[in-house]
Amino acid sequence: MPRYLSLVQIDESTAPAEGPSPELMQRMGELIEEMTKAGVLLDTAGLTPTAQGNRVRWEGGQLSVTDGPFTESKEVVGGYAIIQAKDKAEAIEWTKRFLKVHEEHWTVTCEVREIAEG
């Protein structure tokens, strides 16, 4: 079965400074458990804020390293999930369920892309 990467993009300017609520974490944990038992979820994790990150860039034959936060970014990658599904439609349905566990004040976008094998 094909594997899909769901890149979770969040708007850091609207995300709560204290992070996800306990209720959100409970709903997310329940969905993760369901997806794992169904054999769909292969791996998932959240990422630390961009303020704690670095960008390493190769341009014009030169490397540069920039410390976060990255002010030019509105939406940033906040996490990921690797999903194994029969097709892209099924991967998108699981991704929709993930998005729906968030409260209304969150702005979250997931980019779903098939992982190229071999």
Side-chain angles (χ1 to χ4, degrees):
M1 285 201 315
R3 296 181 306 149
Y4 297 88
L5 175 65
S6 180
L7 286 173
V8 181
Q9 300 169 330
I10 63 168
D11 182 341
E12 285 188 318
S13 69
T14 63
E18 66 279 2
S21 68
E23 296 81 13
L24 170 57
M25 293 306 295
Q26 180 179 342
R27 290 189 303 273
M28 194 175 301
E30 291 167 358
L31 179 61
I32 287 170
E33 183 178 343
E34 180 184 349
M35 292 175 73
T36 301
K37 285 180 179 176
V40 174
L41 186 63
L42 302 179
D43 190 23
T44 189
L47 302 175
T48 59
T50 60
Q52 298 173 21
N54 302 87
R55 284 190 179 158
V56 182
R57 181 178 178 94
W58 174 257
E59 180 179 20
Q62 299 292 316
L63 282 172
S64 64
V65 178
T66 306
D67 295 337
F70 312 113
T71 56
E72 69 276 6
S73 298
K74 181 175 178 180
E75 285 192 338
V76 299
V77 177
Y80 71 91
I82 298 177
I83 300 168
Q84 184 169 288
K86 65 182 177 199
D87 55 29
K88 187 182 264 187
E90 182 184 16
I92 289 171
E93 286 305 312
W94 283 108
T95 300
K96 287 179 182 178
R97 288 190 59 194
F98 167 77
L99 289 172
K100 287 181 180 180
V101 302
H102 292 78
E103 292 97 354
E104 290 183 12
H105 60 268
W106 284 87
T107 301
V108 185
T109 304
C110 289
E111 180 179 334
V112 179
R113 296 172 57 186
E114 186 171 350
I115 298 173
E117 305 288 350

